Amino acid sequence: LQMGPGMEIDIGGIGKEYAVDRCAALLRTSTDFACLVNFGGDLAAVRAPSMRPAGWRVGIEAVDAGKPAAERMLSLRVGGLATSGDARRFLVKDGVRYSHILDPRSGWPVEGAPRSVTVAADTCTQAGMLSTLAMLEGYDAEAFLDGEGVRYWCRR
């Protein structure tokens, strides 16, 4: 992959998801309190709150809202939640919007990728990897996630 001047590769997403999981692991071993770790929308629930046994109420951000707004609300009892998409990180060139997630085979954004994929999994790192891999599947994102057997929400 050749990168031109001013181009960078950012692997911060998986680093942030790993940090969420590490914080959750520390909380799990050091307290009996219900905890939700949230690093900019990458989440890990340690335990469901006793007042809300169905779990933490979390929102999936609307991709076209213009300002932060939840498109869907869901409950997370335990485990991780992560979202990949182009709501905040993208490039517009010659009137065409390109996602920041690049196909490593071509170096270009994937054709037919969803605008947003949110995945719930055992860990935040797993959720983040699956949501990004689903984006890389383009038109086949939903089929990929169905095959993984995880809860997910795709926005096209």
Side-chain angles (χ1 to χ4, degrees), residues 2 10 14 25 43 53 55 70 73 75 80 92 98 108 122 130 153-154:
Q2 295 246 221
D10 176 4
I14 197 161
L43 310 173
M73 297 297 292
S75 294
V92 176
Y98 296 97
W108 287 91
D122 291 338
L130 289 171
W153 300 267
C154 248

Side-chain angles (χ1 to χ4, degrees), residues 17 20-21 24 28 36-37 41-46 58 74-83 118-128 130 150-151 153:
E17 292 150 2
V20 167
D21 287 336
R28 195 174 292 111
L36 178 70
V37 179
D42 290 326
L43 310 173
V46 175
V58 297
L74 36 118
S75 294
L76 182 65
R77 291 182 47 75
V78 66
L81 190 78
T83 301
T118 299
V119 174
D122 291 338
T123 67
C124 187
T125 303
Q126 181 185 21
L130 289 171
V150 293
R151 288 190 315 157
W153 300 267

Side-chain angles (χ1 to χ4, degrees), residues 37-99:
V37 179
N38 180 352
F39 285 16
D42 290 326
L43 310 173
V46 175
R47 288 177 195 81
S50 59
M51 301 294 283
R52 283 179 257 144
W56 298 94
R57 298 284 296 153
V58 297
I60 296 176
E61 185 176 10
V63 294
D64 296 320
K67 61 180 181 173
E71 177 174 282
R72 167 175 277 146
M73 297 297 292
L74 36 118
S75 294
L76 182 65
R77 291 182 47 75
V78 66
L81 190 78
T83 301
S84 294
D86 70 358
R88 297 192 179 265
R89 298 176 69 191
F90 60 91
L91 167 73
V92 176
K93 180 166 175 53
D94 299 327
V96 178
R97 183 184 180 112
Y98 296 97
S99 171

Side-chain angles (χ1 to χ4, degrees), residues 7-18:
M7 295 179 76
E8 299 175 346
I9 293 178
D10 176 4
I11 59 169
I14 197 161
K16 185 170 65 161
E17 292 150 2
Y18 176 76

